[in-house]
């Protein structure tokens, strides 16, 4: 895990020591910090291009190019009960925004299971992986364009 | 939405309203069971007194792809303080999708005292009713379930193959994109755990959530449901019907609707569903 963005690695290390209920508490705290994409980035109805097709929680992802060549990631989650999607959005926004693009592009989907546990349902896992795909794809596109 | 008793359902007593649940919060003969797709929801707040039954941790065999057996079910019921006389009331997220899945598994063990709270979590929250993070503990009970009965409401692949060959009705409750096979073949996306996309030949496409009112998660009236399943899709209450989705979770919602709300006599849920069918060698597939 040495190549992971530091905040993401730190969270995974913390969760590795947590039991099931502690893990839930930590992730709920992340979800509580969720806020919708800023209007300067996007307003409803959101474009289909930003829609995570595999996410039952109706998630949308945007990548904003920053002056230093990195990206800031923004999210919308249209299901008010989509706590896992919201928490994952906050985790990615806080741990991947501003990080080197190579680092972002190489975040493996395994981290989702490190964070949410191995008993993640297939549908939920696919949705969270879809959100990560949007982020890593945006970083790869930016790298290719550079 | 009109009162449950006025909606024309075949078995209206299988549903209870949020008002009914609020009036029975302290009833020792009632056990509220929350079952969600999103496992963070219950710890973030649930109806007071409700226990959580998680389909992965509680209802599935930890090793084989199968549901828990009699011994596991006995332990689960003991853990949540349920006897055979306890009425269990399921509710959950996503229009009660996972609640009906848990309900279906409970019926494999013939726990007849079972109901679903109409509207699920969404309606309870919309009405501003109390949620708590306190996890209740109930005295362990002794529960002696019958052996799991897979013959009446569960279908296996070989049975589905024969069913399809006999041109009997199948209902594919997945999204139109999954039904068409488009979704599993989108570039840049993994194959969702299956090697082939499409649907079982002859299956009708009726996405499961059409049975629910999206604004509050309640079930549609019997007339509205008949318009979908009987008039539009040509199904008849005496038909032998098999419903499927990806792993049998969404199709348990349709199983519930056809069986209890419309009174269909023989409906089975094919829980192997597309993750089995789409990976099987030589089975017929239509796109």
């Amino acid at each position: 895990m040495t190549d992971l963005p530091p905040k993401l690695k730190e969270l995974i290390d913390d969760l590795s020591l947590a039991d099931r209920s502690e893990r839930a508490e930590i992730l709920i705290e992340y979800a509580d910090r969720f806020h919708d994409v800023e209007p300067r980035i996007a307003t409803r109805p959101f474009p289909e291009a930003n829609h995570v097709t595999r996410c039952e929680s109706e998630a949308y992802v945007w990548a904003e190019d920053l002056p230093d060549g990195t990206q800031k990631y923004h999210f919308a989650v249209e299901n008010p009960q989509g706590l896992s999607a919201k928490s994952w959005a906050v985790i990615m926004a806080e741990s991947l925004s501003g990080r080197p693009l190579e680092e972002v592009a190489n975040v493996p989907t395994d981290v989702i299971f490190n964070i949410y546990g191995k008993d993640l349902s297939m549908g939920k896992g696919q949705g969270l992986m879809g959100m990560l795909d949007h982020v890593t794809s945006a970083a790869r596109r930016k790298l290719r364009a550079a | 939405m009109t009162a449950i008793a006025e909606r024309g359902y075949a078995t209206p007593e299988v549903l209870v309203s949020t008002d009914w649940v609020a009036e029975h919060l302290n009833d020792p003969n009632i056990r509220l069971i929350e079952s969600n797709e999103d496992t963070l929801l219950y710890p973030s707040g649930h109806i007071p007194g409700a226990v959580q039954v998680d389909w992965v941790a509680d209802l599935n065999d930890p090793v084989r792809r199968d549901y828990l057996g009699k011994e596991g079910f006995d332990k689960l019921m003991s853990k949540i303080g349920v006897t055979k006389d306890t009425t269990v009331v399921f509710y959950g997220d996503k229009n009660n999708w996972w609640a009906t899945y848990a309900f279906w598994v409970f019926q494999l063990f013939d726990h007849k005292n079972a109901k679903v709270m109409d509207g699920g979590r969404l309606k309870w929250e919309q009405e501003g009713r109390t949620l708590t993070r306190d996890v209740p503990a109930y005295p362990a009970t002794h529960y002696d379930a019958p052996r799991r009965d897979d013959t009446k409401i569960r279908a296996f692949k070989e049975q589905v193959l024969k069913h399809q060959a006999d041109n009997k009705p199948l209902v594919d409750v997945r999204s139109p994109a999954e039904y068409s096979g488009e979704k599993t073949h989108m570039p840049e996306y993994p194959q969702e755990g299956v090697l082939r996309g499409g649907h079982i030949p002859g299956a009708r496409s009726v996405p499961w959530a059409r049975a629910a009112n999206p604004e509050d998660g309640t079930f549609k009236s019997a007339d509205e449901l008949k318009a979908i399943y009987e008039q539009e899709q040509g199904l008849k209450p005496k038909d032998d019907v098999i419903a499927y989705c990806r792993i049998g979770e969404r199709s348990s919602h349709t199983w519930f609707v056809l069986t209890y709300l419309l009174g269909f006599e023989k409906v089975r849920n094919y829980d192997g569903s597309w993750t089995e069918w789409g990976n099987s060698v030589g089975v017929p597939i239509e796109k």
Side-chain angles (χ1 to χ4, degrees):
Chain A
M1 294 275 179
T2 49
D3 295 325
L4 286 178
K7 280 189 180 173
L8 194 57
K9 183 176 186 310
E10 192 179 322
L11 172 64
I12 290 169
D13 289 345
D14 287 348
L15 289 174
S16 69
L17 304 170
D19 64 22
R20 189 181 165 96
S21 69
E22 289 166 341
R23 176 190 298 268
E25 285 299 322
I26 292 168
L27 294 173
I28 289 166
E29 283 173 18
Y30 274 95
D32 286 344
R33 294 209 293 276
F34 177 80
H35 59 82
D36 257 344
V37 58
E38 298 163 46
R40 69 179 180 85
I41 301 293
T43 54
R44 291 180 179 81
F46 297 135
E48 190 56 30
N50 299 86
H51 183 212
V52 180
T53 54
R54 287 180 286 152
C55 186
E56 293 270 4
S57 291
E58 291 292 307
Y60 293 79
V61 180
W62 291 264
E64 176 189 12
D65 290 338
L66 299 178
D68 65 359
T70 66
Q71 293 180 318
K72 182 176 181 184
Y73 304 102
H74 303 266
F75 301 86
V77 175
E78 298 295 73
N79 172 8
Q81 298 188 327
L83 289 195
S84 291
K86 288 180 181 177
S87 60
W88 183 224
V90 173
I91 291 167
M92 288 196 286
E94 293 182 357
S95 64
L96 304 185
S97 293
R99 297 301 305 169
L101 295 175
E102 294 85 352
E103 199 176 83
V104 175
N106 288 317
V107 172
T109 52
D110 285 3
V111 298
I112 292 165
F113 295 93
N114 296 135
I115 292 170
Y116 289 87
K118 302 273 187 244
D119 56 357
L120 198 61
S121 77
M122 182 187 289
K124 183 61 64 191
Q126 290 288 332
L128 301 183
M129 282 190 262
M131 291 170 70
L132 177 60
D133 278 350
H134 268 257
V135 169
T136 55
S137 296
R140 278 196 293 274
R141 276 197 302 275
K142 174 89 174 157
L143 278 170
R144 280 200 297 269
Chain B
M1 194 63 194
T2 54
I4 291 166
E6 295 166 10
R7 291 188 218 157
Y9 297 142
T11 316
E13 59 273 21
V14 77
L15 290 181
V16 292
S17 66
T18 49
D19 281 340
W20 186 96
V21 169
E23 288 160 12
H24 289 80
L25 288 181
N26 298 313
D27 187 337
N29 296 316
I30 304 292
R31 181 70 67 250
L32 293 171
I33 298 178
E34 178 161 332
S35 203
N36 297 315
E37 195 224 3
D38 197 322
T39 53
L40 296 184
L41 279 172
Y42 177 86
S44 76
H46 48 267
I47 298 178
V51 297
Q52 177 175 225
V53 167
D54 178 74
W55 82 275
V56 174
D58 295 317
L59 298 179
N60 273 260
D61 185 285
V63 180
R64 296 182 306 149
R65 182 177 175 181
D66 202 353
Y67 299 102
L68 74 180
K70 171 193 157 38
E71 189 181 331
F73 191 73
D74 287 347
K75 281 185 185 163
L76 173 64
M77 298 301 256
S78 173
K79 183 180 83 173
I80 62 175
V82 167
T83 71
K84 287 193 174 176
D85 295 327
T86 308
T87 296
V88 294
V89 178
F90 295 94
Y91 74 96
D93 62 351
K94 301 269 181 71
N95 301 334
N96 275 322
W97 156 13
W98 298 80
T100 52
Y101 192 32
F103 181 105
W104 177 75
V105 174
F106 272 49
Q107 297 319 300
L108 295 174
F109 296 96
D110 202 33
H111 189 90
K112 288 197 170 66
N113 296 323
K115 299 176 186 295
V116 171
M117 184 179 83
D118 192 36
R121 250 193 99 99
L122 178 63
K123 190 162 191 291
W124 185 271
E125 285 186 19
Q126 283 177 342
E127 292 168 347
R129 296 181 189 270
T130 305
L131 294 172
T132 179
R133 289 192 176 190
D134 294 339
V135 176
Y138 296 103
T141 54
H142 174 73
Y143 196 98
D144 184 19
R147 295 188 70 77
R148 195 182 70 214
D149 183 351
D150 292 334
T151 63
K152 292 177 186 157
I153 59 172
R154 187 179 187 191
F156 293 92
K157 188 180 86 176
E158 296 306 316
Q159 295 167 320
V160 178
L161 276 166
K162 181 167 189 323
H163 194 89
Q164 187 271 332
D166 292 344
N167 290 317
K168 291 182 178 174
L170 286 150
V171 182
D172 184 320
V173 314
R174 299 173 299 160
S175 64
E178 290 170 285
Y179 178 82
S180 68
E182 167 200 350
K183 189 168 181 179
T184 51
H185 285 93
M186 284 180 73
E188 292 189 43
Y189 286 92
Q191 302 290 308
E192 284 215 288
V194 293
L195 293 169
R196 291 290 183 270
H199 56 269
I200 300 175
R204 295 149 166 88
S205 172
V206 190
W208 69 281
R210 289 186 66 191
N213 294 302
E215 63 276 11
D216 65 0
T218 55
F219 289 100
K220 288 181 176 170
S221 70
D223 283 345
E224 291 171 309
L225 295 172
K226 284 177 186 170
I228 297 169
Y229 294 100
E230 296 182 22
Q231 280 118 50
E232 179 190 304
Q233 297 296 331
L235 297 173
K236 300 178 192 67
K238 289 193 180 299
D239 280 344
D240 176 2
V241 181
I242 292 177
Y244 72 93
C245 55
R246 183 175 54 200
I247 55 170
E249 79 296 37
R250 287 172 284 184
S251 43
S252 61
H253 190 274
T254 300
W255 165 83
F256 181 87
V257 167
L258 292 176
T259 302
Y260 294 96
L261 305 189
L262 290 183
F264 277 49
E265 292 174 10
K266 186 173 184 183
V267 185
R268 284 174 290 166
N269 182 22
Y270 170 37
D271 58 273
S273 276
W274 200 255
T275 49
E276 178 178 51
W277 198 272
N279 282 319
S280 296
V281 177
V283 298
I285 288 176
E286 195 170 72
K287 294 190 79 166

